[in-house]
Amino acid sequence: MAAFRHISDAVAVITLSNPPVNALSSALLQAVHKALGEANEDSAVKAIVLCGDHGKFSAGADIREFGQPSKKRGPGLLLLCDLLEGSKKPVVAAIEGVALGGGLELALGCHYRIAHVQARVGFPEVNLGILPAASGTQRLPRLIGISPALSMITTGKFVPATEALKLGIVDEVVNENTVDKAIQLAKKVIDQPLGSRQLSTLPVQCPPNAEALLDEALVKVKKQFRGALSPQACIEALRAAVRLPYSEGIKKEKELFDFLYNTDQPRAQQYAFFAERKVAKWTLPSGVSWKTASPQPIRTAAVIGLGTMGRGIVTSLAKAQIPVIALEQDEKQLDIGRKAVMSLLHREILKMEQLGQSAAASQLGSVQFSLDYGELRDVDIVIEAVFENMALKKEIFRRLSAVCKPEAFLCTNTSGLNIDEIASVTDKPQMVIGTHFFLPAHTMKLLEVVHGRHTSSTSIYTAMHLAKTLGKIGVLVGNCPLFAGNRLIWQYMQQAIFLIEEGNKLEEIDQALEDFGIGMGPFRMMDLVGLDVLWKIETELGLMGPTLSIETLACQRGSKRYSPLLDILCKKKWFGRKSGQGWYKYEKSEGRNAMSDPWLHNFLSEYRGIHKLKTRFVSQDEVIDRCLYALINEGFKVLEDGIASGPEDIDVIYNNGYGWPKHKGGPMYYASLVGLPVVLSKLEKYYETNPDIPGLKPSGFLKKLVAKGNPPLQEWQSYLGSQSSKL
Ligand code: HSC
Ligand code: NAD
């Protein structure tokens, strides 16, 4: 690793080099510091270019060094930014690939910035539970103004070079060799005054309503990222930029960084970052890995069923410029589906236009609507998203097997039906695979890729690669009822329903879990997913009991507790948001505003009376404990059954598909943070009082880990034999 330097016509070129992304490790910072000192002292050097090796400027501070004792660190990043800015010789940053976090801070320390047209810049620190802490929160608003800086720093979004040019972050965007262009610019500006290029000396560009903007942003992030501290700290750092001189602003930035650093949140978010990278490197017990398998190109696709999920899947494919054939069962449904897809695509076009992208519509893959299976004969992939019904899915896969070309991948979006059974009706079970999207399918980041017994490694690799193409995170899981994510969520939903039977209001349960940080409480989530969908899943999996009238409703099946409430609502055709009524009432069908339903509250009192269920006060803590520990307990069972490769996989699934708060790392990380002995003792306590709820019975694997002395999460898998893997 070196920041080597060469001189080209009076211009010293200092190159950041730390593969693969030039993360700014202590050693690299030290090397840059040295090279900069030499360049400044060398009288032959009149200007300096700072660039990165391997086609990237820098992905920022080396996250792997976070948490290491600071005395190990050499010259800090902040000092280096100041030295760059204070250089008497002009410094030009040549940005290729990415300039993120500390990388962008270095570039802002430079006097000029040139970016390659495909480069991206940004401050993603907020996603790691911290803030740009080497002057980013103070220099950026001085360059581009408070409002765009606020948006960039609180969202962590990557800004493409062309947008960065419009915002004024870079001075020039080029399509050729960026370093050569930077050298040309450096020569041009030799001996020119640098005062106006030293960002720390400039005033912050501030509209008169800056404080109000910051207040508004604070309210928004508190609501959107409940409990997450870094977005709030980012805003306070920007407030310091508005109110204080640069040097005081820097002190505040450091103070906020130190505050965040002493909480659990950065560690949780950094864990989540590396968990995503680990999951991307899936391996099968057979030795097949992302390194040895190869994906097939997906040039055309088809989606069958344009309901809640299918329409989002079509949109997602079109966004990735993949032409799609969208198929329905009859004219009426096709018409409904067409309107829904067109409306989603229209929204995408508007979003792209707002980002200044020209000819937005032409950047989407074409969508052709059809009722004819014959049209699917040449597509590379088919994704089935019809009702959750095994007989129907089999009928469709039989037809696909007959119609599609032999190399076509046949995917099902089933929420939890047996992939092997679906594959069994085809003559190419190796091409059948689960691609489990999450609602809304065009925006949710997760794709659970479900591996059947006969699924080929090429099919797996292609599905995992498709996830990337769609801008999603693919997580490979094994085949079992409900797969990984839904197995956990089912236990959580069950607890929530039992708790309302015991006396809680569903509004209180949603509130408690949303206060914990989960994006949407269980009842609001069920209403969004569609109670009919849940009902069909439960019916197919034999989890639903017979429901007759309120007097004959059983809240017990054999020795197990059972709630008929979902069945009751579905029999009334109360399917949630889509029908305007579910656990909550909505102002209209597809409405978003969940309102309490007095009928349900009255019904529940009557129901408790008939079944002699004692209404009791359930504390918010018990609500959270029972719902979350039941979910986590199932996570240990999923690991024990070999359905997921490790706790990181479950956490990535929850962070990206189920609205788990990222600042809490994921449910398995949360369990490790709370401590496995605590998780076990709580489960034991709740199971003792509810012996008819098997979901509360502590998993054997959890008990084993506690007996082994509560090992760190990264070691859990070593306590399972590889023979348990279903992957
Ligand atoms: C920061 O910069 C804080 C500053 O404000 C300074 C604070 C100073 C504090 C002073 C206190 C007073 N570090 O994702 P990929 C690895 S915070 C270490 O698969 P892609 C990654 O783990 C940082 N390693 O590739 C993987 O390694 P593996 C802000 C990093 O092409 C490999 O690189 N920056 C790393 O899909 C390839 O990564 C960010 O948050 C890093 N910074 O995406 C950027 N970045 O092969 C985070 C990556 O061993 N990075 N690695 O598994 C990214 O978003 C993506 O990695 C890229 C590349 C878009 C860069
Ligand atoms: P939905 O009821 O909203 O839509 C199903 C669609 O399939 C309907 O438009 C229907 O007309 C169509 N269809 C039925 N039979 C068909 C046939 N023979 N040919 C073509 N189209 C046909 O259901 P959904 O919520 O979109 O769920 C679809 C699948 O996705 C299910 O397997 C479900 O379990 C799964 N899933 C749902 C969610 C969710 O949150 N709703 C999430 C993940 C997975």
Side-chain angles (χ1 to χ4, degrees):
M1 168 193 316
F4 53 84
R5 178 188 148 229
H6 80 266
I7 299 181
S8 156
D9 262 352
V11 179
V13 179
I14 299 177
T15 309
L16 306 167
S17 183
N18 182 16
V21 293
N22 303 328
L24 301 168
S25 62
S26 321
L28 181 59
L29 289 181
Q30 208 155 3
V32 179
H33 185 256
K34 185 165 169 280
L36 184 64
E38 285 167 8
N40 269 324
E41 272 170 26
D42 188 336
S43 58
V45 172
K46 304 289 179 216
I48 299 163
V49 164
L50 184 66
C51 61
D53 226 348
H54 329 290
K56 294 184 182 76
F57 188 74
S58 167
D62 192 331
I63 307 169
R64 287 164 304 199
E65 283 188 358
F66 286 1
Q68 289 181 6
S70 56
K71 64 175 182 316
K72 272 197 179 168
R73 296 198 198 128
L77 187 54
L78 175 60
L79 172 68
L80 199 51
C81 294
D82 290 344
L83 288 175
L84 286 165
E85 188 182 277
S87 164
K88 299 273 178 291
K89 303 172 184 179
V91 189
V92 180
I95 303 174
E96 290 174 313
V98 287
L100 301 173
L104 181 55
E105 287 172 314
L106 273 188
L108 294 181
C110 299
H111 304 113
Y112 297 88
R113 285 156 293 279
I114 285 193
H116 188 266
V117 67
Q118 276 167 359
R120 293 170 303 160
V121 302
F123 279 128
E125 283 87 340
V126 70
N127 299 322
L128 297 171
I130 53 173
L131 77 170
S135 73
T137 65
Q138 306 302 302
R139 280 198 168 98
L140 187 68
R142 286 177 160 79
L143 180 63
I144 64 172
I146 201 75
S147 184
L150 179 67
S151 158
M152 266 180 79
I153 292 176
T154 56
T155 61
K157 69 178 179 191
F158 291 4
V159 176
T162 44
E163 200 187 330
L165 181 67
K166 279 188 203 146
L167 287 170
I169 299 173
V170 298
D171 301 292
E172 207 178 322
V173 169
V174 297
N175 208 354
E176 50 275 89
N177 188 311
T178 317
V179 177
D180 287 351
K181 281 287 182 181
I183 293 173
Q184 282 173 23
L185 174 65
K187 282 187 197 158
K188 226 192 298 174
V189 295
I190 287 172
D191 293 334
Q192 284 191 11
L194 294 173
S196 65
R197 313 294 310 185
Q198 293 170 324
L199 300 183
S200 72
T201 64
L202 305 182
V204 172
Q205 300 174 32
C206 226
N209 64 342
E211 291 277 355
L213 268 180
L214 294 166
D215 290 341
E216 211 178 285
L218 196 58
V219 172
K220 196 171 145 201
V221 299
K222 278 186 180 169
K223 191 164 168 230
Q224 195 179 353
F225 308 104
R226 221 177 285 231
L229 298 170
S230 59
Q232 298 180 38
C234 289
I235 293 170
E236 289 318 318
L238 286 163
R239 202 186 290 283
V242 170
R243 288 184 183 169
L244 304 171
Y246 177 79
S247 58
E248 295 297 311
I250 287 288
K251 279 189 202 151
K252 185 73 186 171
E253 184 187 80
K254 163 99 172 63
E255 195 183 295
L256 288 161
F257 177 82
D258 289 345
F259 161 74
L260 289 175
Y261 219 79
N262 287 319
T263 69
D264 289 329
Q265 298 192 4
R267 265 168 300 287
Q269 287 180 249
Q270 287 150 29
Y271 158 82
F273 175 83
F274 287 115
E276 281 179 20
R277 266 90 207 142
K278 177 176 178 284
V279 162
K281 294 178 180 159
W282 56 273
T283 311
L284 302 179
S286 60
V288 174
S289 84
W290 59 285
K291 284 186 184 149
T292 49
S294 61
Q296 293 304 302
I298 299 296
R299 296 187 199 91
T300 51
V303 175
I304 306 187
L306 303 178
T308 311
M309 295 304 292
R311 54 191 67 167
I313 299 172
V314 171
T315 307
S316 190
L317 290 160
K319 271 168 69 180
Q321 302 192 330
I322 300 175
V324 198
I325 300 175
L327 203 126
E328 256 294 345
Q329 58 176 331
D330 57 36
E331 283 292 354
K332 185 174 164 227
Q333 291 304 120
L334 187 67
D335 198 43
I336 296 172
R338 181 188 289 115
K339 285 191 184 122
V341 169
M342 295 319 281
S343 145
L344 288 176
L345 291 177
H346 182 64
R347 265 187 255 166
E348 290 304 320
I349 292 171
L350 287 181
K351 263 195 252 164
M352 287 156 82
E353 282 172 353
Q354 271 164 12
L355 291 176
Q357 295 180 25
S358 54
S362 66
Q363 294 184 38
L364 295 173
S366 61
V367 183
Q368 180 193 330
F369 295 89
S370 177
L371 292 173
D372 179 8
Y373 276 76
E375 309 236 7
L376 309 186
R377 81 181 65 84
D378 292 325
V379 294
D380 296 322
I381 196 167
V382 183
I383 301 174
E384 164 278 310
V386 304
F387 304 130
E388 189 78 340
N389 178 289
M390 181 56 93
L392 175 62
K393 293 205 190 261
K394 279 180 162 174
E395 183 194 317
I396 286 174
F397 273 76
R398 231 176 255 121
R399 289 180 85 170
L400 292 177
S401 179
V403 164
C404 295
K405 61 184 181 185
E407 322 80 86
F409 298 97
L410 307 181
C411 311
T412 170
N413 187 47
T414 173
S415 299
L417 297 183
N418 190 340
I419 304 288
D420 294 335
E421 194 176 337
I422 296 174
S424 70
V425 299
T426 71
D427 56 8
K428 33 194 169 249
Q430 73 281 5
M431 305 305 284
V432 178
I433 187 163
T435 47
H436 184 203
F437 288 76
F438 288 74
L439 182 64
H442 59 298
T443 55
M444 287 300 270
K445 292 283 280 179
L446 179 66
L447 184 70
E448 219 181 20
V449 173
V450 192
H451 177 199
R453 191 181 329 141
H454 301 290
T455 309
S456 69
S457 49
T458 305
S459 304
I460 295 173
Y461 203 115
T462 304
M464 292 294 275
H465 195 259
L466 176 69
K468 241 186 167 174
T469 310
L470 301 183
K472 298 188 189 297
I473 299 170
V475 184
L476 183 61
V477 299
N479 182 25
C480 69
L482 296 176
F483 315 136
N486 280 347
R487 252 179 83 166
L488 276 67
I489 208 73
W490 191 75
Q491 295 295 347
Y492 161 92
M493 290 183 320
Q494 286 286 293
Q495 289 308 315
I497 295 174
F498 294 152
L499 283 164
I500 58 171
E501 290 185 338
E502 288 167 33
N504 271 93
K505 286 197 170 135
L506 52 102
E507 295 81 355
E508 290 166 353
I509 294 176
D510 277 350
Q511 191 64 50
L513 287 153
E514 285 168 17
D515 286 349
F516 173 84
I518 290 183
M520 199 179 262
F523 294 101
R524 293 209 300 124
M525 184 196 72
M526 286 188 256
D527 272 356
L528 173 69
V529 167
L531 303 189
D532 55 330
V533 175
L534 300 172
W535 185 77
K536 282 191 186 110
I537 297 172
E538 295 202 358
T539 307
E540 285 291 314
L541 296 176
L543 300 167
M544 201 47 90
T547 304
L548 302 163
S549 66
I550 182 165
E551 286 75 19
T552 54
L553 291 177
C555 47
Q556 203 78 20
R557 284 178 90 189
S559 59
K560 291 182 193 161
R561 176 110 175 249
Y562 164 74
S563 170
L565 294 177
L566 182 65
D567 200 26
I568 293 168
L569 299 188
C570 286
K571 293 255 160 70
K572 289 168 128 348
K573 300 215 177 311
W574 291 1
F575 296 150
R577 272 200 203 181
K578 62 170 83 161
S579 64
Q581 177 118 33
W583 293 109
Y584 291 97
K585 277 170 87 143
Y586 297 84
E587 69 281 15
K588 57 178 180 0
S589 67
E590 306 288 355
R592 298 170 75 89
N593 250 351
M595 297 172 290
S596 281
D597 180 359
W599 178 89
L600 191 66
H601 290 292
N602 292 337
F603 174 80
L604 281 169
S605 324
E606 199 187 333
Y607 173 83
R608 283 183 210 112
I610 290 171
H611 293 288
K612 304 199 173 34
L613 289 168
K614 242 196 266 155
T615 307
R616 63 186 189 94
F617 170 76
V618 185
S619 70
Q620 182 155 341
D621 284 349
E622 182 176 339
V623 168
I624 293 177
D625 282 359
R626 268 187 49 190
C627 292
L628 296 188
Y629 290 138
L631 181 150
I632 288 168
N633 194 34
E634 193 65 20
F636 284 105
K637 293 179 185 174
V638 159
L639 293 177
E640 199 169 10
D641 293 349
I643 294 301
S645 311
E648 294 90 347
D649 299 59
I650 296 179
D651 286 336
V652 171
I653 288 174
Y654 266 75
N655 290 335
N656 295 288
Y658 291 88
W660 184 273
K662 264 200 179 167
H663 62 273
K664 291 200 160 105
M668 305 318 281
Y669 179 86
Y670 179 70
S672 73
L673 194 67
V674 172
L676 302 191
V678 175
V679 177
L680 178 60
S681 72
K682 295 251 180 165
L683 280 165
E684 281 170 344
K685 179 178 118 187
Y686 292 123
Y687 186 52
E688 201 178 300
T689 40
N690 300 280
D692 54 351
I693 307 183
L696 293 172
K697 182 177 181 190
S699 109
F701 184 39
L702 169 63
K703 284 185 181 166
K704 183 173 179 180
L705 291 173
V706 172
K708 295 284 177 194
N710 189 21
L713 178 146
Q714 289 74 11
E715 290 174 18
W716 292 356
Q717 285 308 97
S718 65
Y719 293 93
L720 281 174
S722 61
Q723 73 283 358
S724 71
S725 179
K726 301 274 188 321
L727 285 166

